[in-house]
Amino acid sequence: NREAYLRTQASILAHDLTERMRANSLGARAGAYSMADKGSASGDDPIEWVGHLADALPEGDATVTTGVSAGALNVTISIRWVDGGTPYTFTNQTTI
C-alpha cells in the first residue's frame, strides 16, 4: 500500500506542476520551470513546488525538461524517491 500511496503522491505532484506551468505559460516557455534536480529550482513557484515534493516523498527529487515544437510546449517531469532503500521513478509527459 505504501508504494501505491507514494506513486499517487508523485502523480499529484506532476499534475500540480503541469497546472502551475499552464497558469504561467510565458514563464514555462521561457524555461522558468526547467530543472536538472530540486536544487536547481529558481523562482517562487518552482521553489514552492520543490517544498511540496520534499514533504510528500522520501528523498524526493525531480527533473523537469521543456521544449517547444510546432508552437506547443512539451514537458517531461521525472520524479524520483527512495523508500526502504528502493529507488522509484514516476515520469509524466504532456503538451501545454
Side-chain angles (χ1 to χ4, degrees):
N1 286 342
R2 181 168 168 82
E3 181 181 343
Y5 171 78
L6 293 175
R7 189 166 300 280
T8 299
Q9 294 306 303
S11 176
I12 291 168
L13 284 162
H15 179 75
D16 177 46
L17 187 60
T18 300
E19 292 306 310
R20 289 170 185 253
M21 294 173 82
R22 282 188 212 286
N24 183 9
S25 62
L26 292 177
R29 287 179 179 274
Y33 293 85
S34 296
M35 61 184 87
D37 57 36
K38 67 182 179 188
S40 66
S42 62
D44 291 341
D45 207 19
I47 289 173
E48 179 182 330
W49 182 82
V50 164
H52 294 303
L53 171 73
D55 290 342
L57 297 171
E59 298 182 48
D61 202 357
T63 302
V64 180
T65 57
T66 60
V68 177
S69 176
L73 180 65
N74 300 311
V75 179
T76 301
I77 303 169
S78 293
I79 299 174
R80 298 171 304 283
W81 68 95
V82 177
D83 187 40
T86 303
Y88 296 92
T89 301
F90 176 87
T91 301
N92 183 47
Q93 295 179 318
T94 193
T95 302
I96 297 174

